[in-house]
């Protein structure tokens, strides 16, 4: 098959023209999305709740227990003896387990042994919300990652998605393991997933979460979008860690080291 | 045509009875689990929330998807040898999809809320898509298989309106498995799953294990029901199995290379745990090596042409490959994904007897449906043969 | 007719199967229990179920979020609405038609008055054959005391 010179030139020039057209199109699309971003005012939420835990201030067993108990009692969290199937909204763990990617061999003994309070990070980009098939877990406008226990079908997909082990499945009938009952808050039933809800019910009524209240100043809580808020101040002034930042989940629980 | 499933010998009814009793037993254990809680009856725990059952989802979606390897040559390339086995493959897919969907259903903590998935459609969740594509695939295979068989029964060609549905089913086969791989491969912090090769590897392992199962079934039917799909068809399928299996092994090698050459600890850890043990935990090491050995046995038996042509070694090879992939995908895939856990430590998992019994019930239900559909298929072909004989 | 020995039993089995809800409920159904004199003291919904002891004055003074007729027919709708507003729409308070403000909460509002789950909720639901699962999680005061 041979091609005439004339045809060859024709096809080549079409090709060149086509390339330029596509480039122009690409530039328009690229610029366009930038412009759209500038015009976008929908992300004008005013509140984004965040928590800063001063790990240096937590010294004694009592410091931890008072915080954990305040939360667990108020929310009727069952006390399950089977440790690999327990339910916990906020708990104590080591640096190595909580921050496995930040750990190196030569880190100081004090840090290695220092217990950390772990809880749901209320990620800005939460994988659990992405995977939930029924919107039982969703992000509120103020950034709280909510859990609707009425809706949860117990598929446990969110627990596979959460890189922080912050979610709990009710492997046991929770009511049988309650030590005390708070009549102001519901319990859960078998077969649903639950977790820390950043005390949304208290925030909506103008109160701070139970753990913050019980910590007596060792945990800071506030609005991340407010430049003058206390949380922004302590984040700026201290050395701060978040758990597994490399995963792009953008945790909103910060740790002062 | 349905009436043909109601006439069978003693063994047919005994087999159905056995399957029904397994289903009943599984139902009992399932009720127990929802009464006492998964903590009492299953091996699942905080750090491994998807165990044996979701493994069965991954594996049997693969078996279902693999029907495409038979259906595609028959309808797209007009490969006549696959005429008889195509209906078998389509009905196998029907049973496999049912096993896959039920495997998810039985792990749900709140089974009465299952319709919430449809009432609150959530396109950002892959479970929603998985449910959509799986139920569509179930419908398509049932429709295509049934219509083709029905026209066989009437002695005509299948109606022309079925053609788009057949092509749709062919496109849908790989899709269901890709979506199932996406369930796992998009999760941050699960290093064993977070790999772009998960979907292709799923397809490769499916296209080896599924047709391998079909070979075993075809040879079994030849023996017990005197139903021959044709030696040439079986030989072609065995070649499909071996090519797909080699690609599957290659993909495994790519995974291992990337993890170990990059030296990223979190990516190596699941492989170390599964194959050599990690932090003193060696629960799954023997199982993984069993899968490897079975795989190599199957590879040898199906790669050497003379062994492939002998029915005995072919059956052995097909069973080895099926089991090898089943262990790797139906069991170890979940264990590797969750171990080491998010705290980079090991919380061992072992499926419990109730879990396995529930899975047996799920398999039995799938097998029951496959048995009934096959019984109809075989009877249709048998009566056709008789008609040919009497007409001379 | 052909196959009478198979067709007739088949039809019978089908009819029995289709009517299972009736047969199952036959054993469960209880007629409305006679109103008992303690009902008033328990501050159960005296506005709905006037007991022999007469309506409880104390309970009457504290009106419900909506009138009796509406609540009797549509309480499930209201509760559903409350749940969605509270959990999903960041709302806290409910303004009743007569302008009063209530906190939207089953346990902190409704159950404060309607604190006798067995006499208040169960009585009607048993009669109508409705299976309640609210109290699998939510706690009524009486239960808590146990």
């Amino acid at each position: 098959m041979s091609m005439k010179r004339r045809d060859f030139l024709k096809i080549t020039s079409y090709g060149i023209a086509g390339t330029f057209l596509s480039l122009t199109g690409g530039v328009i699309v690229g610029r366009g999305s930038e412009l759209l971003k500038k015009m976008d005012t929908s992300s004008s939420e005013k509140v984004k709740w965040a928590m800063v835990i001063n790990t240096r201030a937590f010294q004694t067993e009592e410091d931890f227990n008072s915080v954990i108990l305040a939360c667990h009692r108020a929310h009727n969290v069952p006390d399950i003896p089977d440790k690999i199937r327990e339910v916990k909204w906020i708990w104590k763990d080591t640096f190595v387990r909580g921050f496995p990617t930040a750990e190196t061999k030569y880190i100081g003994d004090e840090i290695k042994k220092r217990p950390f309070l772990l809880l749901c990070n209320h990620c800005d980009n939460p994988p659990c919300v992405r995977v939930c098939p029924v919107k039982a877990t969703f992000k509120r406008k103020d950034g709280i990652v909510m859990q609707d226990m009425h809706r949860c079908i117990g598929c446990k997909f969110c627990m596979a998605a959460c890189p922080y082990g912050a979610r709990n499945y009710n492997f046991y009938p929770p009511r049988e393991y309650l030590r005390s009952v708070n009549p102001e808050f519901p319990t859960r039933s078998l077969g649903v997933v639950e977790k820390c809800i950043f005390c949304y019910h208290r925030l909506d009524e103008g109160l701070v979460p139970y753990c913050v209240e019980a910590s007596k100043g060792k945990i800071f809580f506030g609005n991340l979008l407010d430049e003058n808020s206390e949380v922004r101040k302590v984040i700026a002034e201290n050395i701060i860690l978040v758990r597994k930042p490399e995963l792009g989940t953008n945790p909103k629980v910060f740790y002062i080291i | 045509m349905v009436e043909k499933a109601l006439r069978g010998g003693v063994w047919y009814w005994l087999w159905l009875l056995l399957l029904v009793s397994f289903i009943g037993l599984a139902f009992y254990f399932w009720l127990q689990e929802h009464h006492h809680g998964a903590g009492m009856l299953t091996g699942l725990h905080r750090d491994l929330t998807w165990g044996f059952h979701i493994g069965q989802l991954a594996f049997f979606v693969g078996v279902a998807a693999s029907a495409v390897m038979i259906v595609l040559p028959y309808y797209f390339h007009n490969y006549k040898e696959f005429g008889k086995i195509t209906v078998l493959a389509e009905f196998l897919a029907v049973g496999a999809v049912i096993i896959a969907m039920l495997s998810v259903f039985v792990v749900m903590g709140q089974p009465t809320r299952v319709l919430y998935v449809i009432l609150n459609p959530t396109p950002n969740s892959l479970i929603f898509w998985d449910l959509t594509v799986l139920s569509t695939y179930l419908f398509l295979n049932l429709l295509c298989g049934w219509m083709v068989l029905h026209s066989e029964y009437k002695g005509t060609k299948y109606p022309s309106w079925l053609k788009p549905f057949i092509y749709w089913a062919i496109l849908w086969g790989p899709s269901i498995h890709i979506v199932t791989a996406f369930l796992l491969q998009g999760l941050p912090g699960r290093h064993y799953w977070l790999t772009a090769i998960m979907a292709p590897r799923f397809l490769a392992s499916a296209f080896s294990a599924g047709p391998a199962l079909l070979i075993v079934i075809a040879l079994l039917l030849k023996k017990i029901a005197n139903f021959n799909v044709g030696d040439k068809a079986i030989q072609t399928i065995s070649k499909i199995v071996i090519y797909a299996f080699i690609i599957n092994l290659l993909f495994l090698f790519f995974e291992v290379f990337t993890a170990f050459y990059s030296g990223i600890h979190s990516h190596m850890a699941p492989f170390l745990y599964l194959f050599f043990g990690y932090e003193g935990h060696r629960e799954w090491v023997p199982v993984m090596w069993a899968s490897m050995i079975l795989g190599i046995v199957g590879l040898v038996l199906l790669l050497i042409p003379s062994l492939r042509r002998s029915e005995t070694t072919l059956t052995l090879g097909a069973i080895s490959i099926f089991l090898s992939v089943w262990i790797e995908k139906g069991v170890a895939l979940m264990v590797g994904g969750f171990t080491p856990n998010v705290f980079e430590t090991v919380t061992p998992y072992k499926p419990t007897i109730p879990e396995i019994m529930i899975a047996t019930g799920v398999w039995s239900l799938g097998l029951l449906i496959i048995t009934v559909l096959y019984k109809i298929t075989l009877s249709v072909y048998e009566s056709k043969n008789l008609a040919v004989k009497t007409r001379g | 007719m052909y196959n009478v020995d198979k067709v007739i039993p088949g039809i019978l089995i089908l009819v029995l199967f289709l009517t299972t809800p009736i047969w199952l409920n036959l054993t469960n159904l209880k007629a409305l229990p006679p109103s008992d004199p303690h009902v008033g003291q328990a501050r159960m919904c005296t506005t709905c179920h006037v007991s022999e002891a007469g309506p409880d004055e104390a309970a009457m003074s504290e009106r419900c979020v909506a009138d009796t007729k509406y609540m009797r027919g549509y309480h499930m709708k209201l509760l559903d609405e409350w749940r969605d507003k509270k959990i999903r729409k960041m709302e806290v308070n409910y303004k009743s038609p007569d302008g009063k403000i209530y906190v939207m909460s089953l346990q902190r509002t409704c159950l404060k008055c309607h604190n006798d789950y067995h006499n208040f909720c169960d009585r009607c639901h048993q009669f109508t054959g409705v299976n309640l699962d609210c109290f699998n999680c939510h706690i009524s005061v009486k239960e808590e005391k146990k």
Side-chain angles (χ1 to χ4, degrees), chain B residues 305-322:
Chain B
S306 60
L307 292 178
R308 192 167 61 218
R309 270 179 228 120
S310 145
E311 264 177 28
T312 326
T313 38
L314 175 63
T315 316
L316 280 177
I319 291 175
S320 311
I321 284 182
F322 180 80

Side-chain angles (χ1 to χ4, degrees), chain C residues 54-123:
Chain C
D56 183 349
E57 293 301 323
M60 285 294 281
S61 67
E62 215 178 295
R63 292 299 300 266
C64 199
V65 297
D67 65 78
T68 313
K69 209 174 152 198
Y70 176 82
M71 286 309 281
R72 205 181 279 169
Y74 297 104
H75 59 281
M76 63 300 258
K77 239 180 147 175
L78 184 95
L79 287 172
D80 231 33
E81 206 178 290
W82 276 22
R83 177 182 68 192
D84 275 359
K85 279 185 175 162
K86 170 97 178 182
I87 296 178
R88 292 178 178 270
K89 295 187 181 138
M90 298 175 72
E91 289 176 35
V92 184
N93 295 324
Y94 171 77
K95 201 171 166 194
S96 71
D98 58 5
K100 262 186 93 176
I101 303 280
Y102 296 89
V103 173
M104 283 190 290
S105 168
L106 180 68
Q107 276 172 245
R108 286 160 65 196
T109 305
C110 309
L111 298 184
K112 283 273 162 11
C113 297
H114 308 298
N115 56 12
D116 191 345
Y117 153 70
H118 283 290
N119 278 321
F120 183 68
C121 308
D122 242 11
R123 231 162 60 132

Side-chain angles (χ1 to χ4, degrees), chain A residues 76 135-136 138 140-142 146 148 150-151 175 181-189 200 204-205, chain C residues 83-84 86-92 103 105 107-108 112 134-141 143-144:
Chain A
N76 292 324
K135 301 187 190 87
F138 57 93
R140 299 201 332 168
K141 260 189 269 162
D142 57 0
M146 267 293 289
D148 183 352
H150 304 94
R151 181 76 70 81
R175 279 198 178 183
V181 177
N182 172 16
E184 307 267 287
F185 201 80
T187 61
R188 266 72 59 194
S189 66
Y200 80 97
D204 287 349
E205 288 170 21
Chain C
R83 177 182 68 192
D84 275 359
K86 170 97 178 182
I87 296 178
R88 292 178 178 270
K89 295 187 181 138
M90 298 175 72
E91 289 176 35
V92 184
V103 173
S105 168
Q107 276 172 245
R108 286 160 65 196
K112 283 273 162 11
C134 312
F135 296 94
N136 291 352
C137 296
H138 290 279
I139 309 166
S140 73
V141 183
E143 199 179 353
E144 176 219 344

Side-chain angles (χ1 to χ4, degrees), chain B residues 157-234:
Chain B
K157 201 179 175 309
Y158 56 85
S160 55
W161 59 262
L162 196 66
K163 209 80 203 201
F165 287 98
I166 289 170
Y167 291 155
W168 185 5
I170 290 171
L171 282 177
W172 227 236
S175 315
I176 61 167
H177 216 26
I178 291 168
V179 172
T180 308
F182 281 2
L183 278 183
L184 306 176
Q185 76 179 59
L187 304 181
R190 303 282 173 198
H191 316 295
Y192 190 59
W193 296 341
L194 191 74
T195 159
I197 213 170
M198 181 70 97
R201 199 173 150 211
F202 260 34
L203 288 173
S205 58
F207 293 162
S208 55
L213 178 63
L214 204 59
I215 290 177
V216 177
I217 289 175
L219 291 175
L220 195 71
L221 289 180
K222 191 173 165 187
K223 196 137 223 172
I224 60 169
N226 199 22
F227 178 77
N228 195 354
V229 296
D231 291 339
K232 210 171 164 208
I234 289 182

Side-chain angles (χ1 to χ4, degrees), chain A residues 83-88 91 93 97 100 118 127 129-135 149-157 159-165 167-169 171-173 177 189-192 243-244 247, chain B residues 33-40 42-50 107-111 113-114 116-117 120-122 124-128 183 186-190 193 338 341-345 347-348:
Chain A
K83 283 300 147 205
I84 57 171
R85 298 186 183 89
E86 67 182 334
V87 175
K88 47 192 184 185
W91 71 100
D93 219 325
R97 277 169 61 85
L118 304 185
V129 170
R130 218 152 43 223
V131 301
C132 180
V134 292
K135 301 187 190 87
M149 265 77 78
H150 304 94
R151 181 76 70 81
C152 177
I153 60 170
C155 71
K156 306 183 269 295
F157 199 3
M159 297 180 74
C162 176
Y164 303 106
R167 298 184 148 266
N168 312 270
Y169 180 71
F171 285 103
Y172 294 99
Y177 296 91
S189 66
L190 200 62
V192 297
R243 296 174 68 194
K244 300 189 181 174
L247 298 179
Chain B
E33 189 188 317
H34 283 84
H35 190 253
H36 298 294
M40 300 278 190
T42 70
L44 300 174
H45 48 72
R46 286 182 64 88
D47 298 330
L48 193 147
T49 52
W50 276 4
V107 295
M108 278 178 56
Q110 293 285 340
R113 297 180 185 171
V114 63
Y116 282 12
V117 182
N120 303 293
T122 314
N124 51 291
S125 173
L126 281 150
I127 286 194
F128 168 74
L183 278 183
L187 304 181
R190 303 282 173 198
W193 296 341
F338 283 101
N341 55 34
V342 291
F343 304 101
E344 302 293 344
T345 52
T347 322

